[in-house]
């Protein structure tokens, strides 16, 4: 077999492999990248929680994802180890970011208001009298449903 025939056969085999891989991806049975693995599941979760819809854009200067100010624990601050970075298509990333921001905004505001009143010293062992019940009231007024 000549090298020209061998090269043509190799090109043809590669084209068949690419076509089969694309067919499997489209069928949802072959996912080789993080976003291809996560996108179908994320889409389902966004739909089930009513987040896969049009949202108002985030306001300029809005706080983005990251550690909470004053947060403590394993995943706070620098050196996070529990994150998976993935690039999502805009059709999923935009409703995810906007939906999380707008649905959490009342809760964040309630916690910030509580922190402004009572302080956010995470090392405090005994909160001031009335602090914790007022936090619960503020969060429930914001519409938090805890189960």
């Amino acid at each position: 077999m000549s090298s020209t025939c061998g090269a043509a056969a190799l090109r043809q085999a590669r084209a068949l492999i690419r076509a089969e891989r694309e067919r499997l991806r489209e069928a949802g049975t072959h996912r080789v990248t993080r976003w291809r693995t996560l996108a179908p599941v994320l889409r389902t979760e966004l739909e089930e929680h009513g987040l896969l819809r049009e949202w108002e854009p985030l306001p300029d200067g809005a706080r983005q994802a990251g550690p909470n100010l004053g947060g403590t624990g394993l995943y706070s601050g620098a050196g996070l180890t529990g994150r998976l970075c993935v690039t999502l298509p805009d059709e999923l990333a935009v409703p995810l970011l906007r939906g999380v921001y707008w649905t959490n905004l009342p809760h964040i505001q309630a916690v910030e208001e509580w922190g402004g009143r009572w302080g956010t010293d995470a090392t405090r062992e005994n909160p001031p009298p009335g602090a914790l019940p007022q936090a619960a009231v503020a969060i429930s007024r914001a519409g938090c449903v805890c189960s």
Side-chain angles (χ1 to χ4, degrees):
M1 180 186 258
S2 73
S3 64
T4 309
C5 286
L10 183 58
R11 279 193 303 277
Q12 183 180 15
R14 287 180 177 155
L16 289 171
I17 290 168
R18 282 192 298 273
E20 177 66 6
R21 184 183 314 132
E22 189 58 35
R23 185 189 69 74
L24 292 171
R25 283 180 179 159
E26 293 300 320
T29 58
H30 179 67
R31 300 180 182 112
V32 294
T33 63
R34 289 177 288 198
W35 82 265
R36 287 190 186 271
T37 300
L38 295 175
V41 178
L42 179 59
R43 178 181 303 283
T44 300
E45 287 295 314
L46 291 173
E47 287 171 348
E48 286 180 7
H49 293 282
L51 297 175
L52 194 58
R53 63 179 181 88
E54 290 292 320
W55 291 93
E56 291 292 321
L58 300 182
D60 290 337
R63 193 176 346 168
Q64 297 294 310
N68 294 329
L69 298 178
T72 62
L74 179 61
Y75 298 112
S76 67
L80 297 175
T81 60
R83 289 190 177 189
L84 171 66
C85 296
V86 61
T87 302
L88 293 171
D90 284 348
E91 68 189 52
L92 294 175
V94 171
L96 174 63
L97 293 173
R98 290 179 180 180
V100 166
Y101 177 84
W102 289 112
T103 57
N104 283 304
L105 184 61
H107 313 295
I108 291 169
Q109 289 171 333
V111 170
E112 287 173 345
E113 181 181 321
W114 180 86
R117 180 171 183 191
W118 300 103
T120 58
D121 184 359
T123 62
R124 182 182 294 145
E125 289 185 27
N126 296 313
L132 296 179
Q134 286 202 11
V137 169
I139 292 169
S140 67
R141 282 187 186 147
C144 179
V145 178
C146 303
S147 55

